[in-house]
Amino acid sequence: MMRDLANSDGTKTGGVVSLLKTVALVVTIVGAIPTAITAYHAWQYKVPFTKVPHRLAQYDLWMKNLDCQIEYKALDTAQGTKLDVGACPSTGDIAIRIESTDGKTTYEWIAYNELQKPGEEPPTNLIDLFIGVARADTAGQRSVRTAQAMEVVCQSLVTKNQLVRVVREGGKCFREELSPMRGSIDKREEVPCDTQCKAG
């Protein structure tokens, strides 16, 4: 009788251990899924692994504001970098186009709901940006002057990964093919101003 009792306790203990091992395995697999998805997005869109969440948020802002008619204002910095900044009137989201002296251009969005509102505490995820800007401004004299603004003539999402826009700047028009996921311009060429925004 004692032997039967020991066998039943051993079977129960073995079953519990087996169940705990299965639960631990399932939790490990489920926990690895977000990392695997992020790795897939990094490979698919050719962006650094650590930048995937930011780039996905940027893509969502492009899609949210795709139909906005944004009026850009242009600034030239002392370092020669050109900034075109505008806001979507309906969402308040801010679009920034940054062109370096070597001609490379990127786009960034700032979501309106991430901006500090009057009377509110600064959002923790943007505080480093504000501190960085304040330190940069005190580090040396910088001059900013108004430049000719960029105007978006048309834009169209031709595929999930390609946005085509025609922009007017400096009296000329340019057709841009850009990746809303990476925020970078893949191709830019001068075109007539009546060019349609469609796949090339």
Side-chain angles (χ1 to χ4, degrees), residues 31-118:
I33 289 173
T35 303
I37 291 171
T38 301
Y40 173 73
H41 285 311
W43 171 79
Q44 179 184 20
Y45 298 115
K46 298 172 181 60
V47 295
F49 180 85
T50 57
K51 300 286 185 187
V52 168
H54 174 71
R55 297 313 321 166
L56 287 172
Q58 289 292 299
Y59 182 85
D60 290 342
L61 285 167
W62 268 111
M63 297 305 103
K64 177 182 172 186
N65 295 290
L66 192 61
D67 295 328
C68 280
Q69 192 65 27
I70 297 175
E71 183 178 325
Y72 286 89
K73 303 291 182 205
L75 298 172
D76 279 339
T77 65
Q79 294 79 18
T81 302
K82 182 180 175 192
L83 302 174
D84 290 291
V85 181
C88 176
S90 59
T91 65
D93 296 336
I94 299 168
I96 304 171
R97 179 178 177 264
I98 307 156
E99 184 178 343
S100 63
T101 53
D102 63 0
K104 293 182 181 174
T105 304
T106 59
Y107 284 89
E108 280 290 319
W109 285 89
I110 300 173
Y112 176 77
N113 62 357
E114 291 184 17
L115 294 173
Q116 180 181 353
K117 313 304 183 288

Side-chain angles (χ1 to χ4, degrees), residues 8 26 41 43 48 50 57 63 91 114 143 146 156 165 169-170 176 178 187 200:
S8 68
V26 169
H41 285 311
W43 171 79
T50 57
M63 297 305 103
T91 65
E114 291 184 17
S143 64
T146 303
S156 176
R165 35 174 27 192
E169 39 182 344
E176 299 177 339
L178 65 98
K187 185 178 177 185

Side-chain angles (χ1 to χ4, degrees), residues 101-198:
T101 53
D102 63 0
K104 293 182 181 174
T105 304
T106 59
Y107 284 89
E108 280 290 319
W109 285 89
I110 300 173
Y112 176 77
N113 62 357
E114 291 184 17
L115 294 173
Q116 180 181 353
K117 313 304 183 288
E120 290 182 358
E121 291 295 317
T124 55
N125 59 345
L126 289 179
I127 191 67
D128 292 336
L129 174 64
F130 293 133
I131 289 171
V133 169
R135 287 184 184 153
D137 286 344
T138 58
Q141 294 293 331
R142 294 184 180 207
S143 64
V144 176
R145 60 186 170 84
T146 303
Q148 187 170 359
M150 175 190 71
E151 176 190 350
V152 178
V153 177
C154 66
Q155 69 181 12
S156 176
L157 188 67
V158 294
T159 69
K160 181 181 177 187
N161 298 320
Q162 185 183 47
L163 181 70
V164 173
R165 35 174 27 192
V166 174
V167 297
R168 180 181 291 126
E169 39 182 344
K172 298 178 181 178
C173 289
F174 301 90
R175 182 182 180 278
E176 299 177 339
E177 293 179 10
L178 65 98
S179 165
M181 182 65 180
R182 291 190 312 274
S184 61
I185 294 180
D186 299 324
K187 185 178 177 185
R188 178 177 161 101
E189 59 189 356
E190 188 174 344
V191 294
C193 290
D194 60 353
T195 300
Q196 299 296 309
C197 291
K198 56 186 178 182

